[in-house]
Amino acid sequence: MRIFPFKTNLWDRFFYGISIMFGLHLIWVRFLEQYVPLYVATVGSLIFLAILVITG
């Protein structure tokens, strides 16, 4: 099972995952930090990053 519809290597998946993590944190700080702490976004995005790098 692949997440991206194109062929990627390990470093591509890592870069895309970090970029998505950065964007998620920006959106989280803008809209959700009043209600849910930022570490919830960090834990969730690290889990997503691990799944992305492994399955790619």
Side-chain angles (χ1 to χ4, degrees), residues 4-23:
F4 294 117
F6 47 87
K7 189 173 182 177
T8 59
N9 62 23
L10 176 69
W11 296 109
D12 289 337
R13 294 188 300 263
F14 187 73
F15 176 75
Y16 293 143
I18 293 295
S19 300
I20 292 169
M21 189 178 188
F22 179 72

Side-chain angles (χ1 to χ4, degrees), residues 1 13 18 21 26 28-29 38 43 45 48-52:
M1 185 178 111
R13 294 188 300 263
I18 293 295
M21 189 178 188
L26 287 177
W28 194 280
V29 168
L38 188 61
V43 170
S45 60
F48 173 73
L49 178 65
I51 292 170
L52 179 69

Side-chain angles (χ1 to χ4, degrees), residues 24-50:
L24 176 69
H25 276 81
L26 287 177
I27 291 171
W28 194 280
V29 168
R30 175 66 175 101
F31 296 110
L32 297 174
E33 193 175 17
Q34 301 171 25
Y35 312 109
V36 184
L38 188 61
Y39 70 84
V40 175
T42 304
V43 170
S45 60
L46 285 175
I47 292 170
F48 173 73
L49 178 65

